[in-house]
Amino acid sequence: MTFKIKTLALALGTLLAAGPALAQANWPTKPLTMVVGFAAGGATDAVARIIAKHLGDELKQNVVVDNKAGAGGNIATDFVARAEPDGHTLLLGSVGSLTVAPHMNAKLPYKPLQDFAPVTMAVVFSNVLVVKADLPVKTLADYVKLAKAQPGKLTYASPGIGGAGHLAGELLKIKADIDLTHVAYKGGGPAMLGLLGGEVDSFMSTPPTAGPHIKSGKIRALATTGAKRDPLMPDVPTVAEQGYPGFDTLNWYAYVVPAKTPKAVVDRLNQVLVRILKDPDVVKELEMKGLSPSPGTPAELAAYMKREYDTWGQVVKKAGIKPE
């Protein structure tokens, strides 16, 4: 009897030990949720929906895009940090919630460098400073001159506090020594509606959000924020070109999952996403929106996030940015 009990216990232990490995091998076992921290209509949402379709096709599972807007992406980021670490919930996160938020909010409920397993960078791109059509400015120099003449009166929108657009605006304030009033929205889509509706004077937007309205003449582009001109807007000079050498701020979106997600699942997810982001049709679709696919390894994303964390921490401190 004792021998049988020991044998049964050993078999049960082996089965239990094999459980996680078996689950990993069979991943995914249900639909995936791709969480986005901003409302529909912005650049993050556009990227998510392009990738979600291809990811679903690759994995033979439905991939649902879940927009959890608010707090500059922090609500969505916290949601994924607390999600089951089984590879079925992933975050398309941004610079704001993944590297800036901890410097602005001591009570942030998650720690981005500890609570997530990096999967891969998705895309990088510059922001573009756009103004409403009736604002009497044609160049960045005009914009700065107007801001100096009316300290604090000129407003600029961003998709959220602590995001790339907000940080680019604050860096411009420092470099140009001007006083602008920041207005945060719950995503690029709502911010653009605010600009088109005259609620704000300007907007640190993204190429996908701003492009159609620039072409229609409803808004005017003054400058892009990268070191080089944006391929989607080759006629728009950079901030650096217009008197502020060294000005270089890039927006980026990256995929992360909860920290305790099995490495085998993270690696599998990385392989599939990298393959999608290198697909010629996907590359073309993203580049048409002014987005540069930049897939890489989990280790490369981890190192990049740490560098951004350190860099923007210094900017947040110097600019005195506080949560609103």
Side-chain angles (χ1 to χ4, degrees):
M1 178 67 71
T2 301
F3 176 76
K4 289 183 178 180
I5 293 175
K6 287 183 177 180
T7 302
L8 182 61
L10 180 62
L12 181 60
T14 302
L15 182 61
L16 290 173
L22 186 61
Q24 294 170 34
N26 292 334
W27 178 89
T29 58
K30 59 183 180 180
L32 276 68
T33 300
M34 187 182 295
V35 182
V36 175
F38 302 94
T44 325
D45 181 69
V47 174
R49 293 182 188 281
I50 289 171
I51 302 301
K53 178 184 181 303
H54 293 275
L55 184 61
D57 292 342
E58 286 269 351
L59 297 177
K60 303 298 187 289
Q61 281 284 359
N62 288 331
V63 179
V64 179
V65 175
D66 185 5
N67 297 86
K68 293 187 178 299
N74 295 351
I75 292 173
T77 306
D78 181 48
F79 175 83
V80 176
R82 298 168 184 273
E84 186 71 23
D86 58 6
H88 291 93
T89 303
L90 61 159
L91 173 74
L92 180 58
S94 63
V95 55
S97 65
L98 290 177
T99 62
V100 179
H103 301 294
M104 298 174 51
N105 186 355
K107 296 182 179 180
L108 197 69
Y110 63 88
K111 297 180 179 179
L113 299 185
Q114 289 79 40
D115 292 347
F116 296 98
V119 179
T120 180
M121 180 66 76
V123 296
V124 298
F125 55 98
S126 62
N127 283 96
V128 56
L129 175 62
V130 292
V131 298
K132 56 185 182 180
D134 61 354
L135 196 71
V137 300
K138 296 287 182 65
T139 66
L140 181 61
D142 293 339
Y143 182 84
V144 171
K145 183 178 180 180
L146 182 61
K148 286 183 179 293
Q150 303 175 350
K153 185 177 179 180
L154 202 61
T155 56
Y156 83 93
S158 83
I161 297 172
H166 182 199
L167 293 170
E170 293 302 311
L171 187 57
L172 178 61
K173 286 170 59 176
I174 293 171
K175 296 287 188 182
D177 191 24
I178 54 178
D179 183 10
L180 304 172
T181 296
H182 174 234
V183 180
Y185 286 82
K186 292 184 177 181
M192 180 55 71
L193 290 176
L195 180 65
L196 294 172
E199 295 174 358
V200 289
D201 300 308
S202 57
F203 174 22
M204 272 293 183
S205 185
T206 60
T209 303
H213 304 293
I214 293 171
K215 290 179 180 178
S216 71
K218 294 179 180 178
I219 60 176
R220 186 179 305 115
L222 302 184
T224 53
T225 63
K228 300 178 180 179
R229 293 197 179 195
D230 191 281
L232 193 66
M233 303 176 180
D235 296 330
V236 180
T238 66
V239 173
E241 285 180 74
Q242 300 184 74
Y244 304 96
F247 194 103
D248 181 14
T249 69
L250 287 177
N251 206 333
W252 52 265
Y253 303 148
Y255 283 106
V256 297
V257 291
K260 294 183 179 180
T261 301
K263 184 177 182 300
V265 173
V266 173
D267 290 343
R268 170 67 175 147
L269 192 52
N270 170 268
Q271 291 169 3
V272 175
L273 285 170
V274 167
R275 186 160 60 246
I276 291 170
L277 287 162
K278 288 184 176 181
D279 180 274
D281 290 336
V282 174
V283 170
K284 182 178 180 180
E285 189 171 4
L286 291 171
E287 288 184 341
M288 286 178 64
K289 295 181 178 296
L291 307 168
S292 300
S294 301
T297 67
E300 288 170 341
L301 176 56
Y304 187 87
M305 286 173 58
K306 180 61 169 62
R307 288 196 301 272
E308 288 283 276
Y309 179 93
D310 294 340
T311 297
W312 289 116
Q314 297 175 17
V315 173
V316 168
K317 183 177 181 180
K318 188 171 182 179
I321 303 173
K322 301 293 181 183
E324 296 176 4

